[in-house]
Amino acid sequence: MDIEFNKNEDLNKQSVYELKTRLKKIYQGGGEKSAAKQKEKGKMLARERIAYLIDEGTHTLEVGALAADGMYAEQGGCPGAGVVCVIGYVSGRQCMIVANDATVKAGAWFPMTAKKNLRAQEIAMENRLPVIYLVDSAGVYLPMQDEIFPDKEHFGRMFRNNAMMSAQGIVQISAIMGSCVAGGAYLPIMSDEAMIVEGTGSVFLAGSYLVKSAIGEEVDNETLGGATTHCEISGVTDYKHPNDQACLDSIRQIMSMLGAPQSAGFDRIKPAMPAEKPEDIYGILPENREKPYDMLEIIKRLVDNSEIEEYKKLYGQTLICGLARIDGWAVGIVANQRRVVKSKKGEMQFGGAIYSDSADKAARFVMNCNQKKIPLVFLQDVTGFMVGSRSEHGGIIKDGAKMVNAVANSVVPKFTIVVGNSYGAGNYAMCGKAYDPRLIYAWPSAKIAVMGGAQAGKVLLQIQESSLRAKGEQVTPEKEAELLKEITDRYNHQTNPYYASARLWVDGIIDPLETRKVISMGIEAANQSPITKSFNVGMIQT
């Protein structure tokens, strides 16, 4: 081990430690006082409910743990966007669990709460995963209703998804374990089955205060919409339970009777660990995002037996394409090579950039994986497509369009891991969020933006200087340096993975050692949704 390896290892392990520290705080939700109030009512906390529900000793995968992180400061913050979304196993069946966190603003819905719920439903719909909703919410956060209520991707979209999932035969079970008010009342009742906890659960379109204000009737919330009312009088709910534990036990019992899902037929053999130590990733990955490294060495620490069958190994070398296995699953890997390589013409090519030959290679490899029904894994560390007269004369736009077309039209499930840089059109070609990866996670080393901070800072500086000069202001060298630092710092803040994760541009940030689990659980989920579309190869073969 050399000094550089040890330095990288220390810095990357520190980044993982910082991630775990931040997540630990988010897991506390609204804090100890809010948690104590829920306990006084005899309720379990959201994460306790999930832990009780899932099968002991099985893997879980959280979606959007860092959603809304650093946002809504004026409202006192909204850790985890006030809802916990987890892919886990209940009675042996993989499913999506969505649990309101009543310790965060009584489980009220912020804009990011809606976005996170919709993302959870999207994952469930794409993979035909059963959905379990553990409902405990005060409804829309009224001071921000204009950002939550009326638009296509707002609150109401969730009920539309409820209806569509039921029509598609995707099982949805809801447990009313606390307040369930107004529009939020539709979510559990539009599920296929709804159960309610006696004494704490309630569901109604308008609470007692609003009822009195609207029609003058005086009635308490329990009589209006409690467990007895809805299980014995209205028939709105299907099951009544004395406490949270009994309710969750009932869900486990129902889940144990579900018929087996259809299989998409993705190939899996007995899993094997990488032959190379996965922990070496910490030492291989440079802390400086501009430094070159060999992405193949990262891949060897992710795939079974550290084996990959490279496609067109000596052609288009700024992209690695190859077949491998991850936790037994067959996968096609498309990864940015970050070391400097020599092209077939003897030209030196910069690592991280996509050249015409590598774009052409990737497009054809994606086509082949679609024909073979092999899921795709993208490992992003991309600075974008190569620019300059030589690239333009070589048809970089045409070849880049082929690659984007192939990724966009791919019908096999895609999974994206943002290892390092994710800049410009490279983000798109390497299956960024806009290209519908089934899951997209980032390492702490990720940077997501239209271009790097140094380049963007200089461009933005020129724009700001022109504006100041137009106003008659003089820009001294000292002022220029001050502006450049201010602009670059602000831009770099927006490129870090926490900024992206807070806004759900990625599904979360993970320790690199969790990558195999993320991909394996993702393919297992995707395997429950048979492919019904065909891949159009027309543009790629031109």
Side-chain angles (χ1 to χ4, degrees):
M1 299 296 177
D2 58 20
I3 294 174
E4 191 68 23
F5 184 99
N6 292 335
K7 182 181 176 183
N8 291 339
E9 185 177 44
D10 289 344
L11 291 168
N12 284 311
K13 284 186 175 180
Q14 179 62 29
S15 293
V16 170
Y17 174 78
E18 290 170 3
L19 167 65
K20 291 179 178 179
T21 300
R22 192 179 293 216
L23 285 172
K24 187 176 180 181
K25 184 177 180 182
I26 286 170
Y27 294 161
Q28 294 172 358
E32 292 182 5
K33 288 185 179 179
S34 295
K37 288 180 181 178
Q38 297 300 313
K39 294 284 192 179
E40 287 171 8
K41 297 175 183 177
K43 295 160 67 175
M44 299 171 74
L45 304 180
R47 292 184 180 277
E48 291 176 342
R49 288 167 175 166
I50 293 172
Y52 185 93
L53 181 63
I54 60 174
D55 298 345
E56 188 175 351
T58 57
H59 287 305
T60 59
L61 178 59
E62 186 161 354
V63 176
L66 289 154
D69 185 42
M71 300 172 68
Y72 310 125
E74 292 182 5
Q75 292 77 23
C78 187
V83 63
V84 184
C85 302
V86 169
I87 299 172
Y89 301 86
V90 178
S91 298
R93 184 69 176 265
Q94 194 181 39
C95 58
M96 174 65 76
I97 305 167
V98 180
N100 297 113
D101 187 348
T103 70
V104 180
K105 296 288 191 295
W109 285 65
F110 282 68
M112 286 306 302
T113 314
K115 187 171 184 178
K116 183 171 175 178
N117 273 268
L118 290 173
R119 176 58 179 151
Q121 287 186 323
E122 179 183 38
I123 292 170
M125 293 171 78
E126 286 178 330
N127 300 292
R128 298 189 63 81
L129 293 179
V131 188
I132 299 170
Y133 303 102
L134 307 181
V135 188
D136 193 346
S137 172
V140 167
Y141 183 68
L142 288 177
M144 303 186 78
Q145 65 84 27
D146 61 318
E147 299 178 48
I148 307 166
F149 171 69
D151 210 347
K152 181 179 179 180
E153 298 296 334
H154 282 178
F155 192 58
R157 185 79 170 184
M158 200 170 59
F159 314 135
R160 171 261 195 193
N161 289 347
N162 286 144
M164 292 193 71
M165 280 191 276
S166 288
Q168 293 167 13
I170 300 170
V171 173
Q172 298 173 89
I173 301 170
S174 283
I176 301 165
M177 311 181 85
S179 296
C180 192
V181 185
Y186 286 105
L187 183 144
I189 308 311
M190 290 190 72
S191 299
D192 302 303
E193 291 181 284
M195 50 192 69
I196 189 167
V197 177
E198 196 169 12
T200 55
S202 60
V203 55
F204 34 65
L205 294 181
S208 55
Y209 292 119
L210 184 54
V211 167
K212 183 175 181 180
S213 173
I215 63 174
E217 180 185 2
E218 291 197 17
V219 60
D220 64 86
N221 283 339
E222 184 63 27
T223 303
L224 188 65
T228 300
T229 294
H230 286 310
C231 282
E232 299 180 23
I233 301 172
S234 73
V236 166
T237 51
D238 306 308
Y239 307 91
K240 179 171 70 172
H241 298 290
N243 53 47
D244 283 6
Q245 288 88 344
C247 184
L248 297 168
D249 287 338
S250 179
I251 294 174
R252 291 182 58 80
Q253 178 70 6
I254 292 170
M255 288 293 295
S256 72
M257 299 182 184
L258 263 60
Q262 295 184 51
S263 173
F266 303 129
D267 186 66
R268 192 183 197 187
I269 62 173
K270 184 179 179 181
M273 289 298 294
E276 304 286 349
K277 287 175 56 180
E279 294 82 2
D280 286 349
I281 289 172
Y282 297 135
I284 295 167
L285 188 68
E287 185 269 341
N288 185 333
R289 296 280 19 96
E290 309 306 317
K291 281 189 176 182
Y293 64 95
D294 190 350
M295 177 64 86
L296 193 60
E297 293 302 316
I298 298 287
I299 293 172
K300 288 179 180 178
R301 280 134 181 104
L302 296 175
V303 300
D304 293 12
N305 296 315
S306 299
E307 296 174 348
I308 177 170
E309 185 72 24
E310 285 193 68
Y311 173 77
K312 293 183 183 287
K313 182 176 181 179
L314 301 177
Y315 176 75
Q317 294 182 67
T318 63
L319 277 176
I320 299 169
C321 299
L323 299 176
R325 290 189 182 273
I326 293 179
D327 200 33
W329 294 105
V331 296
I333 295 175
V334 182
N336 301 108
Q337 177 56 282
R338 282 305 310 270
R339 61 182 177 83
V340 178
V341 298
K342 187 178 288 188
S343 75
K344 61 182 183 293
K345 298 177 182 178
E347 300 161 350
M348 300 310 292
Q349 295 184 341
F350 298 101
I354 301 175
Y355 289 74
S356 283
D357 53 359
S358 50
D360 174 69
K361 170 172 119 174
R364 294 177 184 278
F365 179 72
V366 168
M367 177 186 70
N368 290 346
C369 287
N370 273 268
Q371 290 179 326
K372 296 181 178 77
K373 204 159 73 172
I374 298 174
L376 286 159
V377 174
F378 293 83
L379 301 177
Q380 289 193 5
D381 195 345
V382 58
T383 53
F385 285 93
M386 192 60 194
V387 296
S389 60
R390 180 175 290 175
S391 292
E392 297 295 355
H393 296 170
I396 185 66
I397 295 175
K398 173 174 63 70
D399 290 317
K402 284 183 185 180
M403 183 177 175
V404 171
N405 183 282
V407 173
N409 284 293
S410 179
V411 297
V412 295
K414 300 167 290 192
F415 302 89
T416 301
I417 304 295
V418 186
V419 171
N421 300 327
S422 180
Y423 293 156
N427 170 283
Y428 302 156
M430 291 294 293
C431 197
K433 185 69 180 288
Y435 287 77
D436 296 323
R438 296 292 177 96
L439 295 171
I440 176 169
Y441 281 83
W443 289 1
S445 47
K447 298 280 186 184
I448 303 172
V450 73
M451 65 177 72
Q455 301 94 316
K458 290 174 183 176
V459 173
L460 292 168
L461 176 64
Q462 290 173 12
I463 295 169
Q464 192 155 336
E465 283 181 337
S466 296
S467 176
L468 290 171
R469 289 192 180 106
K471 296 175 183 176
E473 296 184 32
Q474 184 179 0
V475 182
T476 65
E478 293 77 15
K479 177 69 173 175
E480 184 178 277
E482 183 184 331
L483 282 172
L484 180 59
K485 184 180 185 306
E486 179 186 323
I487 291 167
T488 304
D489 287 350
R490 182 173 67 247
Y491 189 88
N492 284 337
H493 169 68
Q494 294 174 353
T495 68
N496 78 58
Y498 292 101
Y499 191 91
S501 191
R503 288 152 183 81
L504 285 178
W505 301 345
V506 295
D507 292 318
I509 305 174
I510 57 168
D511 181 337
L513 301 187
E514 292 184 289
T515 304
R516 281 171 55 86
K517 180 190 81 170
V518 169
I519 294 169
S520 178
M521 287 188 69
I523 298 176
E524 183 180 352
N527 201 39
Q528 299 181 48
S529 182
I531 296 171
T532 57
K533 297 178 181 179
S534 59
F535 180 72
N536 184 354
V537 301
M539 183 175 178
I540 297 158
Q541 292 181 332
T542 58

